[in-house]
Amino acid sequence: MSKHEKKAPSLLRYPVLVVFTLFFAGLFLLDLATPDRTYSELENTTLSQRPALTQLSAKGLNSYFTAYTKYVKDQVFGRDNWISLQSAVETTLLQKEQSGGILLGTEHMLFPRTYGLLSSEERTLPKNTAAVSSLCQRYPGKVNVMLAPAASVIYPENLPAHAPVLDEDTYLDQLSAALEAAGGRFVDVRSTLEDHKGEYIYYRTDHHWTSLGAYYAYSRLCDTLGLAPFDTTAHQALTAEGFYGTHYSKARNWNAVPDTITYYDLPNRLTIYSVTGAGQPAEGEVTGLYDTGKLDVYDKYAMFLHGNNGLSRIEGEGTGRILVIKDSYANCFVPYLTANYAQIDVVDFRNYNYGLDPLIADNDYDQILVLYSFDSFKSDPYLYRAGVKG
């Protein structure tokens, strides 16, 4: 009997080894045949690219193999499907109630896992409170502050039992007192949202409120300022299906129910300015309220107001002027203001590197609205600019 004839039956005695060998060999060939991706839309993250060996030393080789291991993990064939399979096993067989820092709630709702303020937020929250208080003091009677609560505040019953969540109510009550004392108005939308919690007011897979949730918050602002609210029955509502948001990008739960984005067909013009200095900008690009091309990509919510531009101006049908200082929660909120104001200026400090006083002096706004989620307000490293004088 030849050497080869002796080896053949011995391999057949280990079928599992043969199957795994063939599986990984096939996966290796598929990896070679599949082009590398630079970005994962489902995870909303940049993927590692093939590293280069730049240094023939122990340190250089160690760095190379570390980077190469991450590259192989990021570029493995069928990565999205493997992550979904892992999620299905963990939540179905292992009964896990969280994944990727996201709590898997009932009614297919996803919530961030928050034990309390981070050390950085313990420093940032007082700074941002002081900055907005300063704005209230500089423009008494004009500043309205609305902080959207997280979905966990409105839907505590949908959280997993004993889930770690931040007590936002205590902080919101403290902020309300501080801002009112500084001469501002705190527009508390918690009870308004709780009154409508049986409706679709927060996305299941994303951290934002829906356009309906934003509308109820907007109606609360109208009550505060004595304004007639935007008439939803007078405008055509459009929808975009299949929206998976930021929470899903982290959790990748296999049984997630996609969300629906709703927006109103409005003709109002939006000017996006190139900001090169404080005060009134000179040049801008005129477009519509929505970037509908975003509805064809993963991050569909970015269609509202064309994302988070430093300074934008919207032409409305109302009278007077309002300045909105915001995070992305305001993006689906601001279109409703077209019913009330002739000019709506929108500032996002992530892309606006100046104080507000020159802009306010140039436009003499009737009202100023600071609209953030509490989550952003406690952590935004740029909101201090609202307190910059001059």
Side-chain angles (χ1 to χ4, degrees), residues 60-80:
L61 288 170
N62 181 64
S63 176
Y64 172 78
F65 284 117
T66 299
Y68 191 81
T69 300
K70 190 174 188 307
Y71 160 75
V72 171
K73 180 181 177 182
D74 280 4
Q75 299 296 341
V76 65
F77 177 79
R79 173 184 171 85
D80 294 338

Side-chain angles (χ1 to χ4, degrees), residues 94-347:
L94 304 180
Q95 297 295 301
K96 287 186 65 175
E97 294 183 333
Q98 58 182 290
S99 178
I102 298 297
L103 300 171
L104 310 178
T106 60
E107 303 298 327
H108 298 283
M109 293 191 73
L110 304 178
F111 304 91
R113 183 185 64 197
T114 52
Y115 293 96
L117 292 182
L118 301 174
S119 59
S120 60
E121 293 170 341
E122 290 176 347
R123 296 187 297 271
T124 303
L125 178 57
K127 291 179 181 178
N128 289 347
T129 302
V132 176
S133 295
S134 173
L135 185 69
C136 294
Q137 292 166 350
R138 300 200 309 278
Y139 302 98
K142 283 190 175 184
V143 181
N144 309 274
V145 182
M146 181 185 293
L147 298 182
S152 57
V153 175
I154 308 301
Y155 297 98
E157 68 278 7
N158 289 350
L159 288 161
H162 311 296
V165 290
L166 181 69
D167 179 15
E168 285 191 19
D169 282 327
T170 297
Y171 292 105
L172 288 171
D173 290 342
Q174 293 171 351
L175 280 164
S176 174
L179 298 173
E180 294 279 355
R185 281 184 292 264
F186 186 80
V187 185
D188 195 338
V189 297
R190 284 173 289 180
S191 61
T192 301
L193 295 173
E194 287 168 356
D195 289 343
H196 296 278
K197 67 185 299 180
E199 302 172 56
Y200 185 40
I201 60 173
Y202 280 85
Y203 293 118
R204 292 178 292 268
T205 68
D206 192 63
H207 63 287
H208 293 104
W209 52 21
T210 64
S211 296
L212 181 59
Y215 181 77
Y216 287 131
Y218 156 78
S219 298
R220 179 74 180 87
L221 177 68
C222 289
D223 291 341
T224 301
L225 298 180
L227 302 173
F230 178 95
D231 184 2
T232 58
T233 63
H235 300 86
Q236 181 184 6
L238 304 175
T239 58
E241 306 292 339
F243 171 47
Y244 289 92
T246 53
H247 291 340
Y248 175 76
S249 297
K250 298 174 183 177
R252 290 301 308 277
N253 51 316
W254 67 275
N255 60 343
V257 176
D259 282 297
T260 300
I261 286 181
T262 299
Y263 60 103
Y264 290 92
D265 187 13
L266 301 177
N268 303 79
R269 297 202 308 173
L270 167 72
T271 302
I272 301 171
Y273 288 102
S274 299
V275 182
T276 57
Q280 190 76 15
E283 297 181 358
E285 175 189 356
V286 179
T287 183
L289 282 179
Y290 312 113
D291 181 2
T292 54
K294 295 294 185 183
L295 297 176
D296 297 324
V297 301
Y298 180 75
D299 185 14
K300 292 176 171 54
Y301 188 82
M303 60 87 65
F304 290 106
L305 303 190
H306 294 251
N308 301 314
N309 302 291
L311 176 62
S312 304
R313 175 167 296 161
I314 299 166
E315 298 174 10
E317 283 82 42
T319 59
R321 299 170 177 175
I322 186 171
L323 171 63
V324 180
I325 305 153
K326 61 89 175 178
D327 72 358
S328 57
Y329 262 69
N331 291 10
C332 65
F333 178 108
V334 166
Y336 298 126
L337 292 171
T338 57
N340 309 110
Y341 294 95
Q343 178 181 316
I344 304 109
D345 284 2
V346 183
V347 165

